[in-house]
Amino acid sequence: MKHRALPLGLGLLALSLAPSAQAWEGKTFKVCADPNNPPYSDKKGQGYENKIAELLAKELGKKVEYTWFPQRMGFIRNTLRSQDPETEEYKCDVIIGMPTGAELVATTQPYYTSTYALVYAKKRGWDDIESADDLDKLPESRKAKLKIAMYDGSPATTWLLNHKLVDYAVPVRSMTADATVNTAQSLEKDIKDGKLDMAIVWGPIAGYLELHNKGGFEVIPVKSEEGVKFEFPISIGVRIPDKARKEELNKLIEKNASAIQKILKDYRVPLVD
Amino acid sequence: MKKPVKSWLIAASVASLLAAPVVSQANAEVEKLIKEAANWATWGGDYAGTRYSTLTQINSQTAKSLQPVWTFSTGALRGHEGGPLVVNGTIYIHTGYPHKIYALDQDTQTIKWEYQYSPDQGTDPTQVISVMCCDVVNRGLAYGDGKIFIAQGDATLVALDATTGKQVWRIKNGDPKLGQTNTNAPIVVKDKVITGISGGEFGVRGYIAAYNIKDGSLAWKAYSIGPDDDLKVDPEKTTTWTDGKVAPVGKDSSLKTWQGDQWKIGGGTTWGWYSYDAGLNSIYYGSGNPSTWNPVQRPGDNKWSMTIWSRDVDTGKANWVYQMTPHDEWDYDGINEMTLIDLPLKDANGKEHTKLLTHFDRNGFGYTLDRATGELLVAEKFDKAVNWATHVDLKSGRPQVVSQYSTQAGGEDHNQKGICPSAMGSKNQPPVTFSPKTKLIYIPGNHTCMDYEPFQVEYTAGQPYVGATLNIYPAKVNVKTGQPEEKLHMGSFTAWDPTTGKIAWQFDEPFSLWSGFVSTAGDVVIYGTLEGYLKVRDANTGAELYKFKTPSGIIGNVSTWAHNGKQYVGVLSGLGGWAGVGEAAGLEGATEGLGAVGAYKGLKAHGKLGGVFTVFALPNN
């Protein structure tokens, strides 16, 4: 569309007004994060995104400063793009985990790629499942007993439709509205309570269940297929005109690649090359 | 009603000693207030939602002399939707969440009382804000039984004493921790106060609930989607328009149109407006879109999302339903207001209808139905840019979808360009007005189209998935003819004949109209614009008679009333809402539509956020 040139031009104008030397003003590395979203981040700094933030801040010789807001609809509006009304300073400058190419931010080069995974509770009669496709082969009598989560909006739901398993699935909301409980926590609870036996979820969440319930869960990565994309690269997000900061982060990611990989592995995040 | 009738009658008669009018039921009091044009007692000015006033002081001759006579800052930023209520001389205005309500004395232009929201124990305002989709707007207050009602952002329903502002009762209509919030104006009907629910983004299954006005106890609650009992649908008695007639919906009419248990997170929220016909003892409203955004993931018609509802006030039983957009693929949320009008209309079979319901949907069609029977009479495009469907087949009642503009037909990796209208709709939530004098409906039009790009990666609470990007831009098509044109306007002031389904005349507006209209017996139509103008047009010709720039963009609804023999017009300005949170749509990016970027830039030049109530009148001499 020919009109695209205009907004691009505006972006360049903003860049020329923001020299790169000012990308990291101040003593702090200002991170926008969810105060309760394991395994990504929490207020105690226990998430892997907290660890990555600390690693990068250290490299820059700065301290991490957080702006907390639940990662829901208004997250970016209320954090990365929110200015202090008095000083007009932005509340925070980076979001540690954003899918590469996410619309509302500019993203760095990816620092990992994960995939959705089938995770099920062991010793509930499903231990013979070795791949997601094994679900297709189940006899009708076993399918009828499937307590598999069906998240709205998730590619896993399209997968369930493709595999004619929707009639056996239990609808679950992708986002909890309650900021004190996130998806990973509510999934863990629903499985413990027996409401669910299994789910196809984003890799880091599957990793979280595995790590928190040693030996209790089987995690099997699921392959993308026609109309269903399961693999997503993840980047750091900055404000769209913030090109200098993005470039500097790209260099930091490259330099610290192996340290970042180690953090992700510690959190059992399924990684795709 | 759960309370014994006897004790309730005693309470009412005590109240009637204090308040002047002798009333047997709250609605009789409200009906009396409505009849007196000095008041503006409901969101729609009356129960029918016509937003018409019989006042004539400000008219097509005098409007040019209007002037702002006083202003009042609400002290709040964010979007100010809804409008002032005026009851027995007192003006009531309010703000978005966390709410403030001010009762204003017109003689002294001072605050009589002030209400400041405070959360219940266990409610975290930040959490509430994080689940309100489109800013923290609220569309208005309701009055009845000496009380002011507000459906708060945190889904509590509050009754305040109208003379003191003291809380009389407060109940939970929903749980924000489940994504349930409120943005709608409630309505007081008979001995009940009625409210819906927001939160389709969180898979909330929509419902409408009636609470007893005395104590807030639940009278009835009826869902949009699910089993017949939940819906208060009688398979034999509840009807819908099908095959050229109304017929019973039959058993499991909703469940049959969903796969598996998907209906449990089915949406169909009810965050719009509620109208009432006392003669038919019925309320009317629309249900919203099915909640899972991706149409591929919810095969079927997804009933009864996107539906016009008629329900019995006392029991909540559904009289009739009509689904406008089966299996929505465009987010044409069906919640816009129902305007109840009485005009003669002869249908194709020569049958006469007089009790009409009109509705201007996000999907771009203007509907006229017989509100007593649910018969579909008219369904025509009120903006000729509309292209997602060629027409609505009057026999089946179904839109004839054009596959080129189906977001699903192209597959999940296919761009659909130039879909009209955009997801914002040919008209969004601001209500129309109907003038029984001109027999025309005046529509706040939104003249935009969209490209729908399914590649976009979304990230919700830490889970990436392929979503869709909507690029929204001016339609660049003539509103009246549908012919291409090079104009970049995004709004339309449209006068519509509800009995023929034809545009009578129309004027372009630079920006989408996001303000509720008012028409009067003085042959004027009054409304606000996103740039912040209050505008007056001639109801017969559309000629612009007056405009005044208020401090911020107007997404509020205009009211008119009289005080000490003088007619006033009032409106809240204060940009925000979906129209104003341009940033939320990623407008700094390179992939956004020019129109939206243009709108955002344009609006930036016109002012900042901030709520101000402005009152207009004619000079004294």
Side-chain angles (χ1 to χ4, degrees), chain B residues 87-171:
Chain B
V87 176
N88 294 328
T90 299
I91 299 175
Y92 301 92
I93 58 170
H94 77 303
T95 73
Y97 183 82
H99 312 286
K100 285 177 178 163
I101 301 174
Y102 300 101
L104 301 175
D105 182 317
Q106 295 196 71
D107 294 318
T108 57
Q109 294 151 14
T110 54
I111 301 168
K112 284 170 82 170
W113 57 258
E114 176 178 347
Y115 165 80
Q116 168 73 56
Y117 166 86
S118 65
D120 286 337
Q121 207 174 7
T123 297
D124 170 12
T126 301
Q127 184 271 326
V128 175
I129 292 166
S130 78
V131 297
M132 293 186 80
C133 89
C134 315
D135 206 356
V136 290
V137 294
N138 185 283
R139 278 176 221 95
L141 308 169
Y143 173 85
D145 195 30
K147 302 184 187 86
I148 289 288
F149 298 90
I150 181 168
Q152 304 193 114
D154 64 7
T156 53
L157 178 67
V158 178
L160 305 173
D161 183 303
T163 45
T164 63
K166 294 255 178 337
Q167 183 176 307
V168 182
W169 52 257
R170 172 170 177 148
I171 56 102

Side-chain angles (χ1 to χ4, degrees), chain B residues 315-337:
Chain B
T315 62
K317 275 243 156 60
N319 301 315
W320 57 262
V321 284
Y322 169 66
Q323 189 179 40
M324 298 170 284
T325 313
H327 189 67
D328 170 62
E329 302 173 41
W330 310 268
D331 197 16
Y332 294 152
D333 217 341
I335 62 82
N336 288 354
E337 76 288 359

Side-chain angles (χ1 to χ4, degrees), chain B residues 52 278 324 433 501 553 556 561:
Chain B
Y52 175 78
M324 298 170 284
T433 181
W561 67 92

Side-chain angles (χ1 to χ4, degrees), chain A residues 114-118 154-156 200-203 220-222 230 232, chain B residues 463-465:
Chain A
S114 187
T115 181
Y116 277 68
L118 172 69
S154 164
I200 296 176
V201 287
W202 178 231
I220 306 166
V222 189
F230 278 140
F232 293 89
Chain B
Q463 299 156 90
Y465 57 91

